Structures are given as C-alpha cells and as structure tokens.
C-alpha cells in the first residue's frame, strides 16, 4: 500500500495484477442521476413527522449557479509524481486510485496506459468522475524500467484476459506512446470486446522532429540535469541558457518562437510552463529514460504496423490541435481507413498533454460521443448517463443568445381544458409520448429539451435520425461533433426497438411523424404536416399505457425566410450531386412510402435570418391509452387515435398562429425594452390567456372530443369518395362545418 501526498493509491505488485472482483451485472439506472442531484437535496421537517424526510429538488432549476467540480491541478500531478519517485523501482505495475471507489454496479474495467511521462497519473484530474462509472487501473513505469514493448503488451494482455467476462467491454485509454501500445493489444486480441480511447496516438515516428532530438540526447552528458538541479534555479529562459544547457535553449526558442501556432508548445511546453516543477520533470524524464521512450515508440510502432489491420475494437481518437511533435496527420488518416469502428474528435486549442489541461473532461467527452456501454453493444436507453447540473449549464449557455433572441413562450393544457403559461399540464411520471410538428431544421428541439428539464426535471428522449450517431469513413455527412448537444440531451436513433425500450423504461419520448421531410420542407410549407397515412405509435403507446401529448410549434416565419429550397437546389448540377451523395451515405428511412412522404433527401436549405420574432409552443391535453390495449389492437381504432393526435397538433398550431397576433411582445424591440427595464432573467409577458380562451370559443371536453370524431369521420368519408357517391358525401361533410 502506498500513500501519496494528496492522493492515496493501492498498488498491486509486479506484472500480474489481482484486480478487485467485479460485482454481479446489475444495472442501477438511477445511480448516475442520484449522484448528480445528491448535493441538491434538502431535509424537511413537519410538526406531524416523527422523523426527517429527505425532499429532492430539481437540480436543473438552479443550473445558473452550478459550479464545475474541483479537480486536481498540474501542480498536484508533479507532487504525486514526486512521491512515486521517492520509492520507485522494479517492473511496470498497476495501481488503482482510491478516490475512484464509489462506482456504479456493473461498471466496466478501464485500463490507463500512460504516454511519455510513464507515471500513470495522466488521468489525475479525471479520477473521481471516471471512478463513478469505471473500475480504473493505471499502469506505472518506474523511471529506471527498461521493459521492452513486447513484454509491456503481454502485461496488458494478461490483465485484459484475466478480467474478461462474456459480453463485458474493457476500456483502454492510451496517450501518445500508450495509445500505440493499446492498439497493439487490440490487434493481438481481436476476439476480446475492447473499447479504445486514444489521445494523440503515435503509431509512426515523426522523423523530422524525433531524429534530431534523439541525436541531441545522445550528445548531451548525463551529468547536466543533475548540475542544473543542485546548483541553479529552475527558470527556464534565463538560468538554463546561462549555464549552456543546449536542450533547454532549443526548447525555449521553440516555445517562444514565431511558429508557436503551428508547432504548438510541444512535448515539454506544458510542463516547462511551471518552472517550479522542473526539478520533478528532470527526475521523471532523465536522459536515459527519454532515449528509452524513443526506442520504445520505435519498436511498439513497428510491431503495431505489422498487424494493425486485425484491430476490431471500437475506437475514439482525441486529437490536440497544438500537438505537432509526435503526431503525423497522414497517420491519423491511415488509422481512420484501417480501423473499422473509429471516430475522431478534435480539440484545436489543446496541446500534447490533453488530459491535464483545463476545459477537458473525459467523462463529458465519452457522453458526447455515446462511448459508454456496459454490454457487448451500446444500449441507448440503459447506458445513457444524465448530464450533471454543470454540464446542463454549459449546454444552456451555448443556447443563451438564441433563447434571448426568440424568447420562447410555452403553454400547456390542464385536465379541465384550461390553457396555462407553464408546463403544469405535463405529467411528471412516464411513459409519455410527445407528438408534434417539426420546424425548419428542428430549431425548436433544443428549446424544448432545455425548458422541460429546467422546469419539470424531465429528460426528453428524442427519436432522431441515425446520421447523428454514426458516420462511415469518407462520408460527406456532417462531423459527429455537430450533434453533441442533441446526443447529450438524450436523443436515440429512431427505431421500433428503441421506441419500445424507452416506453418500457417509463421515459418521456419526443416523436416527429413528419421526420426529415417536415424538418427540411420547401417554400410555403412552414406549417404543413408530412405525416404518413398510417402509424403504429398509438398501438405501441397502449401496450405500455403511455400518455400521448400532441403539441404545436409556430414562429419559424418570424425567424427566417427561405430563399433556396430543395427544388431550387436540385436545379444546380453540383449541388444536386452533393445532395445525392450525402443522402446515399445516410440511413434511408420510410422506404415503403411513395411521393413526397418518401422523399428523405438530405440538404441544407438556403435561408436569410429575419429580425427575430418569437417562438410559441402549445402542448395539448394528454390523451390516455392506459387500459385500452385490447381496444387499440384494432387497426381502425388505433388509426382513429392517430388521426385525433394529428388533428390536435393542427389545432395547437392554429391556436398559436391566431393568438400571437395579439402578443405585444412578438417583435424583438418591445422584448428588448422589457429586458432593459425588468432584467434579462425576467420572463417576457405574452398574449392574455383569458381573452385568448374566450376568443377561441372556450371549448369544453365534450366539444373537443366531438371535433376529433368529426375530423376522423371527414377523413374516412373523403377516402371513400367514388364517382356515384360524391354528392352524398359532400352533404355529410357540410353538416359538420359549424365545428370547424
């Protein structure tokens, strides 16, 4: 047992680790959520209560005051690395940080293979958060260790195989040289369920940089670093130059030169930025260790390149924009073409030591990428991790300007039919299906997710297009990082299986029957529904007793004007070819539909922003399906419910379009004046709900139900029109016109 300065760590001896047994596989789906709200609970006392009651509040209601978790710093890294060095020696070995103990049942094993420093402390800033969802083991290389790369790979292999369970993934996180070793392990064990997370992977030598550096290290005498440490201070620029330390002079020239933007701060830039830690750095990376690291990289890359094509592991590559020392861009392209399941995420403002830098949170990155799973394949429902209040705060702030510009107004309907300006009419308990109309490019999506989570603590799980979750190599589809906000918001690929799983888990599910065709509509189709003739969501809802809430959204025509739609773009040859290419790359939906409903071509409409108006969302009265499973198994009755939902969505849109005319704050300037006089956090008023109710007729429940029946009857009558029955049908339709 080893106890460090700021952190305690359990270290297993030698190269055959005995890792703590993993608990039986039992998913605690509430574990992560309870952890995220643990600090947002209060204890209430009442005169009639004998004991205390723990009352949980919505942690997202006060996200504006949420703070990032206190994490260890670069100085902590050096302090604990120095403690390692004081008792260092022996072969490579694993250690597990004790601060990683409070993990969820069924958490997968995560092995960390360090980069050039070899300490195994590269994840020190992420230990606590990673420890909630992983069983973490870090590999430590003593400074004097000279184990060949092949033996290191065998050590990792033995660890992986010792803890191999059927269908359980094992994660390997590797940095630079460690990423090369992790890939070598994956190439040697294609039969094991591995997930690789590689930060700035190095699989081939950057000879332009490394050969001169290797020659310089060979030239320097061994005693130079010791003389520096014993007789001089540690200010990089002045002192090291004055004593004639060539490596320091070269490094300072590079760090302060005109090519910093291109070369970055380099391998040692982040470390040398804190001169007080130079003593520890020299002890971590003496001349002999640096030479061995370069030799290790050369031998490991040669071994990997001989059988890289056998890698089957799911891989996430994290690239720093300012790391140009070891990294080859051509090497990354080769990895993308070779690895079958690979995704790349870029961090253009970060350097070589990605995990030690501010603003980088590995758990958040894993959430964004949907790379956390506890089974053979990803389960989008059970493997999903709720965002923390601070993650939600960052998500909300990313939309802050848009929210301020469009000032969305949300309305819901209570059980008695009363319309209120709040989400009070939304049931808190699931399962619930929200069915509505898509605005252009789905601009209402993020606003819906933010307000439901902030006001009702409801995570809206949207059924989204599969292109937001996967991309083939060479595809011209958008980069996956464009959809981070959608994925951390709980979206799942649309499929019948995922829909059923969500309802079984009592989730709140967002469904757009209009799909891509409605979100990418043409000119003049702002509020036109492109729903299929038949849908199964009503029957599936009855299977789980889910409530169906129809809703309408308006405001697109006040936000932008379409100038180049799909029809215009298809007349331009090179744009037409591009549309066809990206549509072919994407998963095809609605293969059975014909005409416009089946047209799922992907494109970006040409729009001109307007001075922003206002966004309005109206949730209708929930439609109950509980206890109607047998009834809605009948296709005709299920279709009646489907038509009722569609009619209610159209009615919600009509209501909003009519009532917004009386909203004195529909335009931007009156809203801006209200913000100035009342504060930018105040809620902007809207049209008078009482007058709106009166002007709209104050429909009671019986009339609303009758309206739905008439709309469904009209649809059936129109579908039955034939040459000899047209006159009779028209008379029947006119008799019900008073309800329209």
């Amino acid at each position: 047992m080893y106890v460090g300065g700021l952190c305690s760590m359990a270290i297993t001896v030698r190269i055959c680790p005995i890792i703590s047994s993993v608990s039986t596989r039992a998913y605690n789906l509430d574990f992560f959520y309870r952890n995220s709200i643990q600090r947002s609970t209060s204890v209430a006392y009442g005169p009639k209560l004998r004991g205390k009651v723990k009352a949980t509040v919505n942690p997202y209601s006060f996200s504006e005051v949420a703070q990032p978790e206190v994490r260890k710093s670069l100085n902590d890294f050096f302090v604990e690395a120095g403690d390692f060095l004081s008792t260092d020696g022996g072969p490579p070995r694993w250690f597990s940080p004790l601060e990683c103990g409070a993990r969820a049942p069924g958490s997968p094993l995560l092995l960390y293979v360090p980069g050039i420093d070899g300490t195994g402390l590269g994840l020190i800033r992420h230990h606590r958060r990673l420890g909630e969802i992983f069983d973490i083991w870090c590999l430590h290389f003593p400074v004097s260790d000279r184990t060949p790369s092949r033996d290191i790979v065998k050590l990792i292999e033995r660890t992986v195989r010792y803890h191999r369970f059927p269908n359980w993934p094992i994660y390997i996180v590797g940095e630079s040289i460690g990423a090369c070793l992790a890939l070598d392990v994956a190439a040697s064990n294609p039969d094991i369920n591995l997930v690789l997370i590689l930060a700035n992977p190095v699989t081939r030598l950057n000879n332009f940089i490394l050969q001169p550096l290797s020659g310089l290290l060979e030239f320097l005498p061994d005693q130079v670093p010791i003389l520096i440490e014993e007789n001089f201070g540690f200010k990089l620029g002045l002192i090291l130059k004055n004593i004639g330390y060539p490596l320091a002079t070269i490094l300072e020239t590079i760090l302060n030169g005109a090519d910093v933007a291109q070369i970055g701060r380099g391998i040692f830039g982040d470390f040398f930025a804190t001169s007080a830690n130079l003593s520890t750095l020299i002890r971590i990376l003496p001349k002999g260790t640096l030479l061995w690291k370069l030799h290790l990289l050369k031998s490991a890359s040669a071994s990997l390149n001989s059988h890289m094509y056998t890698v089957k592991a799911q891989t996430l590559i994290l690239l720093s924009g300012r790391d140009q020392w070891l990294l080859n861009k051509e090497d990354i392209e080769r990895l993308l073409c070779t690895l079958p399941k690979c995704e790349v995420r870029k961090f253009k403002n970060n350097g070589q030591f990605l995990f030690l830098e501010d603003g980088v949170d590995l758990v958040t990155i894993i959430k964004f990428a949907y790379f956390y799973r506890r089974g053979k394949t990803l389960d989008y429902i059970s493997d999903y991790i709720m965002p923390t209040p601070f993650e939600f705060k960052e998500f909300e702030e990313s939309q802050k300007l848009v929210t301020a510009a469009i000032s969305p107004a949300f309305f819901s309907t209570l059980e008695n039919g009363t319309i209120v300006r709040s989400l009070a009419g939304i049931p808190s308990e699931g399962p619930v299906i929200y069915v509505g109309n898509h605005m252009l490019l789905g601009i209402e999506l993020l606003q819906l997710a933010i307000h439901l989570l902030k006001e009702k603590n409801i995570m809206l799980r949207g059924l989204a297009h599969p292109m937001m979750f996967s991309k083939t190599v060479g595809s011209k589809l958008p980069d996956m990082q464009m959809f981070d906000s959608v994925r951390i918001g709980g979206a799942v690929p649309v499929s019948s299986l995922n829909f059923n799983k969500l309802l079984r888990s009592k989730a709140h599910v967002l469904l757009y029957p209009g799909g891509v065709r409605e979100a990418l509509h043409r000119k003049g189709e702002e509020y036109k529904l492109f729903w299929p003739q038949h849908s199964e969501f009503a029957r599936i809802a009855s299977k789980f007793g889910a409530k169906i809430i129809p809703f309408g959204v308006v405001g697109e025509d006040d936000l932008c004007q379409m100038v180049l739609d799909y029809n215009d773009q298809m007349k331009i040859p090179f744009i037409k070819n591009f549309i066809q290419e990206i549509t072919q790359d994407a998963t095809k939906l609605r293969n059975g539909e014909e005409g416009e409903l089946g047209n799922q071509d992907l494109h970006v409409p040409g729009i001109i922003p307007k001075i922003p108006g206002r966004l309005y969302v109206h949730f209708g009265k929930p439609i109950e399906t509980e206890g109607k499973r047998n009834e809605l198994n009948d296709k005709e009755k299920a279709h009646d419910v489907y038509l009722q939902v569609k009619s209610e969505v159209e009615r919600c849109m009509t209501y909003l379009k009519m009532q917004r005319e009386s909203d004195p704050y529909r335009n931007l300037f009156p809203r801006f004046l209200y913000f100035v006089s009342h504060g930018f956090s105040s809620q902007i008023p809207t049209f008078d709900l009482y007058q709106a109710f009166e002007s709209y007729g104050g429909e009671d429940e019986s009339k609303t139900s009758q309206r739905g029946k008439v709309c469904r009857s009209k649809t059936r009558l129109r579908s039955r029109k034939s040459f000899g029955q047209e006159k009779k049908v028209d008379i029947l339709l006119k008799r019900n016109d008073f309800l329209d």
Side-chain angles (χ1 to χ4, degrees):
M1 182 70 69
Y2 172 84
V3 181
L6 297 178
C7 171
S8 299
M9 302 178 185
I11 302 182
T12 56
V13 182
R14 302 191 66 81
I15 63 173
C16 185
I18 305 298
I19 301 180
S20 58
S21 61
V22 185
S23 60
T24 56
R25 184 175 178 85
Y27 292 168
N28 188 340
L29 301 181
D30 295 326
F31 179 87
F32 309 110
Y33 174 73
R34 286 189 283 103
N35 272 3
S36 69
I37 68 171
Q38 188 175 7
R39 293 182 296 277
S40 302
T41 57
S42 60
V43 179
Y45 297 89
K48 297 182 180 180
L49 297 179
R50 297 180 180 178
K52 57 184 180 179
V53 178
K54 194 173 184 180
T56 302
V57 299
N58 180 5
Y60 304 106
S61 296
F62 309 99
S63 60
E64 59 273 3
V65 299
Q67 296 295 324
E69 296 178 351
V70 178
R71 299 195 295 172
K72 294 186 176 181
S73 65
L74 185 62
N75 285 332
D76 295 324
F77 169 87
F78 281 110
V79 169
E80 298 187 20
D83 291 336
F84 263 128
L85 295 173
S86 62
T87 57
D88 217 359
R93 52 190 176 270
W94 298 100
F95 70 88
S96 180
L98 296 182
E99 61 195 278
C100 303
R103 62 180 179 271
S107 297
L109 175 66
L110 183 147
L111 304 176
Y112 172 65
V113 185
I116 194 169
D117 63 286
T119 61
L121 293 170
L123 296 179
I124 191 171
R125 307 194 70 185
H126 310 268
H127 283 164
R128 201 200 65 77
R129 290 202 67 198
L130 284 172
E132 294 179 354
I133 59 177
F134 290 107
D135 182 11
I136 304 178
W137 288 82
C138 306
L139 187 59
H140 171 69
F141 296 97
V143 174
S144 59
D145 176 68
R146 299 296 182 264
T147 304
S149 63
R150 187 62 246 170
D151 291 342
I152 297 174
V153 170
K154 288 180 180 179
L155 160 64
I156 303 172
E157 283 181 352
R158 283 198 294 270
T159 307
V160 166
R161 291 195 170 275
Y162 183 84
H163 296 90
R164 178 186 181 186
F165 290 89
N167 299 329
W168 284 38
I170 294 178
Y171 284 70
I172 304 180
V173 178
E175 282 192 273
S176 60
I177 300 174
C180 182
L181 296 170
L183 279 168
D184 202 356
V185 172
S188 303
N189 299 272
D191 58 317
I192 298 180
N193 187 6
L194 294 177
V195 180
L196 306 181
I197 300 177
L198 312 178
N200 301 317
V202 182
T203 59
R204 282 194 301 184
L205 293 177
N206 188 338
N207 293 325
F208 178 75
I209 296 294
L210 294 184
Q211 284 186 353
L213 180 61
S214 178
L216 179 61
L217 289 173
E218 293 281 3
F219 171 76
L220 289 176
D222 295 335
Q223 294 79 9
V224 169
I226 299 174
L227 291 174
I228 296 172
E229 183 177 354
E230 291 180 352
N231 300 304
F232 297 92
F234 296 102
K235 292 184 179 180
L236 172 64
L238 180 62
I239 295 179
L240 295 184
K241 279 196 301 182
N242 289 342
I243 64 172
Y245 189 22
L247 179 59
T249 305
I250 293 173
L251 285 172
E252 187 199 18
T253 303
I254 293 175
L255 296 179
N256 298 327
D259 294 328
V260 169
Q262 178 181 357
I263 300 179
R265 298 170 70 184
I267 301 177
F268 306 103
D270 296 329
F271 283 160
F272 273 113
T274 308
S275 59
N277 294 314
L278 187 56
S279 171
T280 305
L281 177 61
I282 291 175
R283 293 168 62 199
I284 293 174
L285 294 172
K287 170 190 166 182
T289 301
L290 275 175
L291 285 171
W292 173 72
K293 296 284 184 174
L294 296 179
H295 175 74
L296 178 66
L297 172 59
K298 186 181 298 184
S299 59
S301 60
S303 173
L304 169 62
N305 290 324
S306 66
H307 61 163
M308 185 188 293
Y309 61 91
T310 63
V311 175
K312 305 297 181 186
Q314 184 183 9
T315 307
L316 177 64
I317 297 178
L318 311 178
L319 294 182
S320 297
R322 294 191 289 107
D323 175 23
Q324 303 293 332
W325 282 80
L326 297 175
L327 206 59
N328 284 313
K329 292 183 179 179
E330 298 80 6
D331 203 19
I332 300 302
E333 293 296 329
R334 186 171 62 97
L335 285 175
L336 277 173
C337 296
T338 305
L339 304 181
K341 295 176 286 186
C342 182
E343 179 180 335
V344 175
R345 302 180 75 82
K346 298 179 181 179
F347 303 83
K348 62 179 181 179
N349 296 320
N350 296 95
Q352 167 73 23
F353 299 98
L354 183 66
F355 295 140
L356 291 174
E357 298 190 23
D358 292 330
V360 177
D361 190 317
L362 184 54
V363 172
T364 302
I365 293 171
I366 291 172
K367 287 183 184 181
F368 279 148
Y370 265 6
F371 250 68
Y372 184 74
R373 58 183 172 91
R374 292 168 288 185
K376 187 174 182 180
T377 58
L378 173 65
D379 188 320
Y380 287 96
I381 289 77
S382 64
D383 288 331
Y384 174 71
I385 306 174
M386 289 277 287
T388 64
F390 182 72
E391 287 172 340
F392 176 70
K393 176 185 178 180
E394 291 186 314
F395 170 49
E396 187 179 15
E397 287 182 347
S398 70
Q399 302 298 314
K400 194 171 184 178
L401 289 178
V402 176
T403 303
I406 64 179
S407 301
F410 287 82
F411 307 90
S412 63
T413 309
L414 303 180
E415 290 186 2
N416 61 4
T418 303
I419 299 175
V420 294
R421 190 190 174 181
S422 70
L423 301 180
I426 303 295
S428 298
E429 299 296 326
V432 180
I433 306 173
Y434 302 81
V435 185
N437 65 299
H438 240 325
M439 293 182 68
L440 185 66
L441 298 173
I443 56 180
E444 80 286 351
L445 277 170
L446 300 182
Q447 297 300 321
L448 286 172
I450 289 172
H451 282 78
L452 277 168
L453 192 56
K454 196 174 183 69
E455 185 173 335
K456 297 284 291 185
N457 197 13
I458 291 174
M459 175 55 69
L460 198 59
R461 307 297 304 272
L463 295 171
H465 197 285
M467 73 172 182
M468 298 182 180
F469 304 91
S470 63
K471 177 183 176 182
T472 57
V473 177
S475 171
K476 295 183 179 180
L477 288 171
D479 190 84
M480 291 294 98
Q481 286 181 258
M482 286 186 60
F483 306 114
D484 281 353
S485 57
V486 176
R487 298 201 281 188
I488 201 171
V492 303
V494 59
S495 71
S496 177
L497 177 62
N498 286 335
F499 189 34
N500 278 270
K501 283 184 175 181
L502 286 170
L503 295 180
R504 185 177 293 111
S505 66
K506 300 187 181 300
H508 290 248
V509 186
L510 179 62
L511 176 65
Y512 288 106
V516 171
R517 178 61 182 85
E518 201 167 277
L520 302 178
H521 55 251
R522 321 304 185 227
K523 295 176 183 176
E525 297 177 347
E526 289 85 359
Y527 303 112
K528 184 177 179 181
L529 299 183
F530 289 90
W531 291 20
Q533 292 184 355
H534 302 279
S535 179
E536 290 292 307
F537 73 78
R539 183 185 61 81
I540 297 174
S542 67
K543 179 180 176 182
F544 299 97
K547 297 180 179 67
I548 302 174
I549 300 182
F551 71 91
V553 187
V554 302
E556 172 193 325
D557 49 346
D558 283 345
L559 301 177
C560 61
Q561 179 179 354
M562 189 181 300
V563 294
L564 196 67
D565 66 3
Y566 172 79
N567 296 327
D568 298 326
Q569 294 183 28
M570 292 299 283
K571 296 175 183 177
I572 305 174
F574 74 92
I575 297 182
K576 178 181 178 180
N577 294 336
F578 179 75
I579 291 174
Q580 291 174 345
E581 287 179 11
I582 62 174
T583 302
Q584 187 176 2
D585 290 340
T587 303
K588 184 71 173 178
L589 303 176
R590 291 189 178 176
N591 293 320
E593 297 288 344
E594 298 179 355
E596 282 299 310
L597 292 178
N599 186 348
Q600 301 289 307
D601 287 0
L602 302 176
H603 67 287
V604 180
I607 59 175
I608 297 178
K610 295 181 179 180
I611 296 176
R614 197 168 191 182
L615 184 73
Y616 302 86
V617 183
H618 174 30
F619 293 95
K621 186 177 178 181
I623 299 172
E624 295 282 354
T625 65
E626 189 171 5
K628 298 181 180 180
R629 181 172 182 177
N630 293 333
E631 178 184 347
L632 294 182
N633 273 336
D634 182 271
K635 289 186 177 180
E636 186 171 346
K637 291 182 178 179
H639 187 61
D640 287 345
V641 174
Y642 173 68
L643 295 177
Q644 179 188 357
V645 173
K646 184 177 181 181
S647 172
E648 286 297 306
V649 171
E650 292 173 331
R651 191 177 73 87
C652 289
M653 289 192 292
T654 302
Y655 170 83
L656 292 174
K657 285 190 289 184
M658 182 173 64
Q659 299 307 325
R660 69 176 175 172
E661 299 296 332
S662 61
D663 185 0
Y665 297 97
R666 180 179 175 183
N667 297 320
L668 179 63
F669 187 66
R671 297 201 303 273
F672 177 74
L673 293 179
Y674 190 90
F675 275 139
V676 171
S677 58
H678 293 81
F680 284 91
S681 61
S682 58
Q683 185 184 66
I684 303 292
T686 184
F687 51 80
D688 191 299
L689 286 175
Y690 177 76
Q691 292 182 0
F693 181 75
E694 291 294 327
S695 65
Y696 202 65
E699 290 183 314
D700 57 19
E701 184 176 353
S702 61
K703 191 169 183 180
T704 302
S705 177
Q706 186 179 6
R707 175 189 297 273
K709 292 179 180 178
V710 170
C711 290
R712 296 193 300 276
S713 299
K714 291 167 76 172
T715 303
R716 287 197 297 269
L717 287 169
R718 288 192 177 101
S719 65
R720 295 173 186 170
K721 274 190 176 186
S722 61
F723 178 76
Q725 296 176 323
E726 287 187 5
K727 186 174 182 180
K728 182 177 179 180
V729 170
D730 287 337
I731 292 173
L732 289 172
L733 294 175
K734 289 177 182 178
R735 288 177 183 172
N736 293 295
D737 283 346
F738 71 96
L739 286 173
D740 294 335

